[in-house]
Amino acid sequence: MMIAAEGLTKKYGSVTAVDDLSFDVLPGRVTGFLGPNGAGKTTTLRMVLGLDAPTAGRVTIGGRPYGAHRRPLFEVGALIDAQAFHGGRSAAQHLLALAHSNGIPRRRVHEVLEQVGLGDVAGRRAGGFSLGMRQRLGIAAALLGDPPVLILDEPVNGLDPEGIVWIRTLLKSLAAEGRTVFVSSHLMSEMAQTADHLVVIGRGRLLADTSVEDFVGRTSRDEVRVVTPQATELAGLLTGQGAHVQAVDGQRLVVTGTDVSTVGRLAAAHRIVLLELAAQSASLEESFMELTRDSADHTADSGNVDGAAR
Amino acid sequence: MTTTEHLQRMAAPTGAITPGVLRAEWTKLTSLRSTRWLLLLTVLLALVVSAVVTSVYASQYDQDFAARHTIDPAYWSLTGLIFAQLAVAVLGVLTMSGEYGTGLISTTFTAVPQRRTVLVAKAVVVSAVTLVVGTVSSLGAFLLGQSVLSGKHIKADLDDPGVLRAVTGGGLYLAVLAVLALSLGALVRHSAGAIATVLGLLYVLPAIGAILPPSWQDTAVPYFPGNAGLAILHAVPMANAAAPWTGFAAFCAYAALAFTAALYVLPRRDALPK
């Protein structure tokens, strides 16, 4: 079962939260839905689940709008808000009401509670749960109908390291079973460890729909870090060769548009002392920042050595 | 494509009321402590107030009192329902607004995208529960009140004219009130706001009605929601009040209007207010 969004748009008055978004989420892999906070991820997921109406465009799951599914918990499991339960009910009662609504047998309630590690607190009022336990309860609800499609909004929020590893393993195994797994996060590093594919948005617009490797390859800027007492001299030489140089401080430079051996040879040829020389690939986090950075942002130019050296 | 078309397509507005959806709403209603407290409060208010009011009237009763007041001992013993309705109204509102307050409504509508089905199921469950508890309260209040009057010639019996109607009417009134309150909870989507609206209809509007010009007193005022609904509690006909079943029918019409409005807007709005 595939999730397909076409031209999905959501406007609140004059504010466009989601802007002409089109993407497909395929089965058998974990698709990360990535974007900074406020990029429109939750709004998009709410539209996928038929909770909010698109201003334009459409989104289907298995070829049909969400609302056309008769007993949707058998088709789609969703965690949209870990707080979306009544604190006065026990975990088991909350899940039992959900199970009844879709004709899911009662035993599934206990199975999913065991699966997410809440078996011992099934009878406790959910209002007293920690954030991590709330996330687990939300995931239990998503798993209730054993659905082929899972849509989880920021599932690692509030989980402890053990919980994060648990959910990573869970998501991968669900995808390995051939399910469609669509997980949002604002943490690139988390998605790098979990996702096979990425849908990246910023300000409601699609920025990338690509595999994790391609995403890093496309957006990475290989940098060379240099530490030298003759920073100004080296910066001048590198700039003369067409490289782009940024001064970190009086001794440290970050150079792009060249490579380590070129910098090393250039320094040796001009008898410049190098205290440190290292190649550094942009991390996923940096790739993400690079991609989502506002094009009107000029802060990167402020520390430029070219100007200072003149 | 127009926005309306998108809204209509987004959620399937209608669907069959399945036993599963009813069981889900039953589970939700009965698994909350607040439900038990509010239902207990309904019974207690009905009994205690009825006993007190009936005792006061009984102690003041003499020829002079009889000349100045309508003597309706069945109604005296049902006055507790005027207070008990407060608890029922809160229960009705919370059944819907509680889901908005916690965000649970998102989970509910992902499980059952046929939003009208959810509202209808809630109405069935909450009105059934209040019908049972309301009828028990009404009958209990009547029996307790009449036991205060035992030995006095004014004591009412269930087979006196209008008495059985008044007693069963108490339960019916509370059941319909629960649907009215539920609908306002769905329309307002905010517990405090919806409770204030119901209280305004039940208590403030009649108070405003009482200070309106006399010409209104026997035309419009008896058909204000609270006044119209409570007319059914009178075993003895009252001046300036709607006839019992006419008043009750008017009250049902208000509830039906609110319920229809809620059914109309529910699939047309985003699940949560932005």
Side-chain angles (χ1 to χ4, degrees):
Chain A
M1 260 193 178
M2 188 176 98
I3 303 170
E6 295 166 33
L8 209 53
T9 301
K10 180 69 174 178
K11 290 183 182 169
Y12 296 103
S14 61
V15 180
T16 304
V18 175
D19 192 358
D20 195 21
L21 207 53
S22 299
F23 58 83
D24 290 340
V25 183
L26 301 179
R29 66 190 190 188
V30 177
T31 302
F33 189 31
L34 195 63
N37 285 325
K41 300 189 297 293
T42 301
T43 305
T44 303
L45 296 183
R46 293 184 71 84
M47 289 192 284
V48 173
L49 296 170
L51 293 171
D52 292 359
T55 312
R58 57 188 258 120
V59 56
T60 55
I61 300 177
R64 290 185 295 167
Y66 190 89
H69 293 268
R70 279 292 127 192
R71 294 195 293 171
L73 298 187
F74 285 104
E75 328 241 17
V76 184
L79 165 68
I80 193 74
D81 173 5
Q83 315 296 332
F85 56 81
H86 195 299
R89 286 189 193 101
S90 71
Q93 286 165 334
H94 170 67
L95 295 179
L96 185 61
L98 279 178
H100 281 327
S101 71
N102 276 241
I104 296 167
R106 183 184 286 260
R107 61 173 165 76
R108 275 299 289 165
V109 168
H110 300 285
E111 283 173 14
V112 293
L113 280 170
E114 290 296 335
Q115 194 180 348
V116 302
L118 292 178
D120 296 340
V121 294
R124 262 209 258 153
R125 281 159 57 100
F129 281 10
S130 68
L131 185 53
M133 290 160 87
R134 286 161 192 245
Q135 290 284 11
R136 286 170 186 263
L137 178 56
I139 290 161
L143 296 172
L144 206 53
D146 198 18
V149 177
L150 283 133
I151 297 173
L152 309 173
D153 194 14
E154 302 270 1
V156 300
N157 265 9
L159 289 182
D160 54 19
E162 185 213 358
I164 292 173
V165 173
W166 168 74
I167 192 151
R168 221 177 263 164
T169 315
L170 175 72
L171 295 178
K172 284 179 176 167
S173 69
L174 290 168
E177 290 165 16
R179 298 177 212 252
T180 306
V181 183
F182 195 34
V183 197
S184 84
S185 178
H186 63 281
L187 297 173
M188 180 67 221
S189 50
E190 182 47 45
M191 284 298 100
Q193 307 224 36
T194 314
D196 308 298
H197 195 83
L198 292 175
V199 172
V200 187
I201 64 168
R203 300 190 169 199
R205 289 209 185 91
L206 186 70
L207 297 176
D209 181 351
T210 175
S211 72
V212 175
E213 300 89 73
D214 285 354
F215 176 69
V216 179
R218 207 176 95 188
T219 54
S220 72
R221 312 161 292 149
D222 283 338
E223 295 174 340
V224 177
R225 298 189 160 270
V226 194
V227 180
T228 166
Q230 294 145 277
T232 312
E233 191 184 346
L234 182 61
L237 290 166
L238 286 166
T239 308
Q241 296 216 338
H244 183 84
V245 183
Q246 260 187 281
V248 178
D249 58 32
Q251 292 205 346
R252 287 162 204 276
L253 301 175
V254 176
V255 191
T256 49
T258 182
D259 57 39
V260 182
S261 61
T262 310
V263 176
R265 286 172 206 282
L266 191 68
H270 292 83
R271 305 185 67 79
I272 290 172
V273 177
L274 293 186
L275 304 177
E276 201 177 306
L277 178 63
Q280 186 175 320
S281 297
S283 70
L284 279 166
E285 214 72 62
E286 286 165 325
S287 305
F288 178 46
M289 300 281 284
E290 176 80 2
L291 195 62
T292 56
R293 185 164 49 207
D294 189 345
S295 54
D297 189 353
H298 295 292
T299 52
D301 290 339
S302 56
N304 215 318
V305 167
D306 321 350
R310 256 176 240 140
Chain B
M1 196 176 287
T2 67
T3 306
T4 316
E5 283 172 89
H6 287 291
L7 288 163
Q8 283 165 351
R9 209 188 40 220
M10 125 186 118
T14 43
I17 305 293
T18 62
V21 177
L22 287 173
R23 282 181 81 188
E25 292 305 329
W26 171 261
T27 304
K28 283 194 219 169
L29 189 68
T30 53
S31 60
L32 284 180
R33 253 189 239 167
S34 58
T35 303
R36 272 164 274 164
W37 282 113
L38 286 167
L39 291 174
L40 184 66
L41 194 62
T42 304
V43 179
L44 285 180
L45 282 171
L47 294 181
V48 171
V49 175
S50 293
V52 171
V53 168
T54 313
S55 303
V56 170
Y57 278 151
S59 69
Q60 292 184 356
Y61 182 81
D62 55 26
Q63 289 300 333
D64 188 37
F65 184 86
R68 284 185 288 110
H69 294 85
T70 307
I71 302 306
D72 188 349
Y75 178 70
W76 297 350
S77 62
L78 295 176
T79 46
L81 297 181
I82 298 168
F83 294 84
Q85 67 176 348
L86 180 67
V88 171
V90 172
L91 179 66
V93 165
L94 287 182
T95 302
M96 198 70 202
S97 68
E99 294 217 11
Y100 284 104
T102 55
L104 174 61
I105 198 73
S106 297
T107 311
T108 299
F109 285 161
T110 34
V112 185
Q114 297 77 27
R115 297 183 187 179
R116 287 175 177 158
T117 304
V118 173
L119 185 65
V120 172
K122 281 184 185 295
V124 168
V125 169
V126 80
S127 63
V129 168
T130 47
L131 180 64
V132 171
V133 174
T135 303
V136 168
S137 304
S138 188
L139 185 63
F142 174 78
L143 295 176
L144 184 65
Q146 299 313 312
S147 72
V148 172
L149 298 176
S150 66
K152 298 196 189 252
H153 72 281
I154 53 170
K155 179 175 180 295
D157 275 310
L158 277 176
D159 49 7
D160 288 347
V163 171
L164 188 61
R165 187 251 305 140
V167 172
T168 52
L172 289 173
Y173 169 71
L174 293 182
V176 176
L177 172 61
V179 175
L180 174 66
L182 173 80
S183 308
L184 290 170
L187 288 168
V188 179
R189 300 193 282 187
H190 192 276
S191 298
I195 289 171
T197 308
V198 185
L199 295 190
L201 287 177
L202 295 183
Y203 297 102
V204 181
L205 211 52
I208 293 171
I211 56 168
L212 288 173
S215 62
W216 289 58
Q217 296 300 330
D218 40 1
T219 51
V221 176
Y223 295 97
F224 283 6
N227 300 347
L230 291 170
I232 203 165
L233 299 183
H234 294 279
V236 178
M238 286 273 293
N240 292 338
W245 286 115
T246 314
F248 183 69
F251 185 68
C252 289
Y254 288 117
L257 187 69
F259 190 64
T260 307
L263 286 176
Y264 179 82
V265 300
L266 209 53
R268 286 178 169 77
R269 298 198 288 204
D270 285 348
L272 280 175
K274 181 75 180 176

